[in-house]
Amino acid sequence: MKTSIQLRGEEQVGDRIYAVEVRADAEESVIVDIAGELTDGTVIAEGGLVLPVGDLMTAGRLLEQTLRGLSVMQGNGKALAKSRSAPANAGRPWTEEQDAELARLWTEGAAAIPELALQFARSRWSIRARLIHLGLDPEREYATDTEITNE
């Protein structure tokens, strides 16, 4: 079964707007496009990555460490604090029991994505991706949190 994901997140910091767009075939690769522009539309950053699905955690950690290190160098040696810590189960494999419980809660409408993220100690992105993996629609009417967040 092929599963596709397409998400876009955007964040404005002062006069800069950064956007990340993710397209994925959950069985093969993930394409990440990053763009930055000033509020007047001037492009100040752009780039992209194509990663095998199995390398996402490693590549994510490497990118975070690299960008954090560059930020420290540019910020006169002061380390920037992480905005949020990762959920307790981030990066851990899903068990069959967790899959069954997630599917049950979602199909019964017992909880929306933010509540499920808290209950399973995972990010909203992880819950959304797992719902797709299970063949469930994360975009149904009361699942309204479509923004990518740092949670």
Side-chain angles (χ1 to χ4, degrees), residues 2-8 21-32 53 56 124-134 136 138-139 146 148:
K2 285 208 169 208
T3 305
S4 295
I5 300 169
Q6 185 166 2
L7 296 168
R8 179 177 168 83
E21 186 172 332
V22 178
R23 296 180 312 280
D25 174 333
E27 295 177 8
E28 295 175 16
S29 61
V30 174
I31 300 163
V32 180
V53 170
L56 292 178
R124 293 177 185 187
W125 165 265
S126 175
I127 296 295
R128 191 176 290 288
R130 199 62 184 181
L131 289 169
I132 292 169
H133 175 81
L134 294 172
L136 300 170
E139 299 299 330
T146 57
I148 296 175

